[in-house]
Amino acid sequence: MKKINEGWCINNNGFPIGDAETERYINVTPSERQIDFMKMEYYNFIHFGVNTMNNAEWGNGKENISKFNPKKLDTDQWCRILKSTGSKGIIITAKHHDGFCLFDTKYTEHNVMNTPFGKDIVKMLSESCKKFGLKLGIYLSPWDRHEKTYGTDKYNDFFVGQLTELCLNYGNIFCFWFDGACGEGANGKKQVYDWDRYYSVIRKHHPDAVISICGPDVRWIGNEGGRVRKSEWSVIPSEKDSNEAVAENSQTDKNQTAVMAEKLSDTTEDLGSRAVLKNYRSLVFKPAEADVSINLGWFWHNNLYYLFKKQRTAKDLAKIYFDSVGGNASMLLNVPPDKNGLINKREIKTLKKFTRLITEPFEKEITEVKLSAYSPDGNKRNAEKTEIALGKSESGISLSFPEKAPVSLLSFRENLRFSQRVEEFKIFAKDDKGEYIHIHTGTVVGSRRIVRFRKQLFTDEILIIITQSRAAPILTDIRIYS
Ligand code: FUL
């Protein structure tokens, strides 16, 4: 039997382990709310509002709301459909940049209660979410093109007022999502946002909720097309993800939707390797979120450009799912309801295919797997639980099963309570002669790594060898599928 003589404890690609510098990195760990959030993996965005009625991506705040009346609006339909895709929650645009509020607020007349529709859509959604076992999240745009106080200190009171209403009247909220977009000159006004005040309101009423994007808990991946870095780090320099940095990279023009859908500047490709971290004193734990829309735009459109030019296919979306959920990030998929207030059959069709593509690979789990820690000399230490902390003389994990079986997918995680440690791993499969054949090299693991094999393997043993790590790797929830 060929020995795998590479291991994190053997030469670690020449990188030190356990020195003061690597200690500094692994001391950065997630909060409980981040741990809960990372378990969600995939959830949805709903962009809906006056833009939906106007075929627009950004409103200017002067929209006439006297005709807003999505007669067939059915939040149960949204939840039923999204739940069936495996979603864990829905984040709704309670207010987009145009300032129109989908909820009952006493702070502005520009809200849904003053339209012919006349019902609080956030309330309706919160009730449907409860019914369907989905979590509710709130997108509240800091940039407000309607509100007169925008650009003055008073706007912070206004924003806090609305935030408090949302905190108090809609049950449990898992996420508050603040985006960094702000148009050129913002009506000639510049608002100094009192972020700390906003955050303290949220922490007071919803201590378990994450505050995303312009916030301390979840990091925007840096583009709106669902592109995930090859190595997505959760331990990063604080200044790489400041609210200012987010705003600078965000959309500044309504026509940028398509550009943003692909943009990711090369300089931000590496956010957290040792080469980067060593230059920064202050580090934070911030898991990445890949946000992407099922269509080219965030709001529903029925014009030809949006219909035919850039529809995402179920296959594209499934790739984004595996890259993000299986690449230490989460997936926030936007599914905008149409003018009637329903998820349209065109999106339903794509979602059905998407669901098949992301669930079928997990249908046949090989359950009789024996897990053991594997040493370079071929020795194995039995592991009773799915979680394995590798000892000094071990280089990886062996997964063996009684009979040869087809293998097409592996899924495993790091126990992030001990931070993100793995920097590189290799996968080997035992062949007919008992030799271990190298089949895959990957980098980070983090909250979850999914490896799909191009060619189905036929074997009775797989090895995951950790070739570079910041400290003893702790892998958990290791699963294998035919
Ligand atoms: C951006 C906004 O400008 C878009 O309209 C959309 O809401 C997206 C999720 O964030 O920054």
Side-chain angles (χ1 to χ4, degrees), residues 33-34 40 61 97 163 196 208 263 271 383 423 428 444 447:
R33 69 172 75 86
Q34 286 173 317
M40 291 181 68
H97 311 327
L163 202 50
D196 288 342
D208 299 334
K263 188 177 117 179
L271 287 177
E423 296 172 312
F428 295 80
V444 304
S447 66

Side-chain angles (χ1 to χ4, degrees), residues 86-99:
S87 175
K88 299 288 188 302
I90 298 179
I91 303 175
I92 183 162
T93 51
K95 178 184 81 167
H96 202 250
H97 311 327
D98 51 71

Side-chain angles (χ1 to χ4, degrees), residues 252-292:
T252 51
D253 187 299
K254 64 178 179 199
N255 299 320
Q256 278 177 331
T257 305
V259 182
M260 293 302 296
E262 307 306 332
K263 188 177 117 179
L264 183 76
S265 97
D266 283 341
T267 53
T268 60
E269 187 64 39
D270 180 359
L271 287 177
S273 72
R274 296 188 194 212
V276 170
L277 296 191
K278 69 170 196 242
N279 301 317
Y280 295 87
R281 291 320 303 159
S282 163
L283 308 177
V284 282
F285 193 98
K286 239 174 164 186
E289 176 183 81
D291 60 330
V292 63

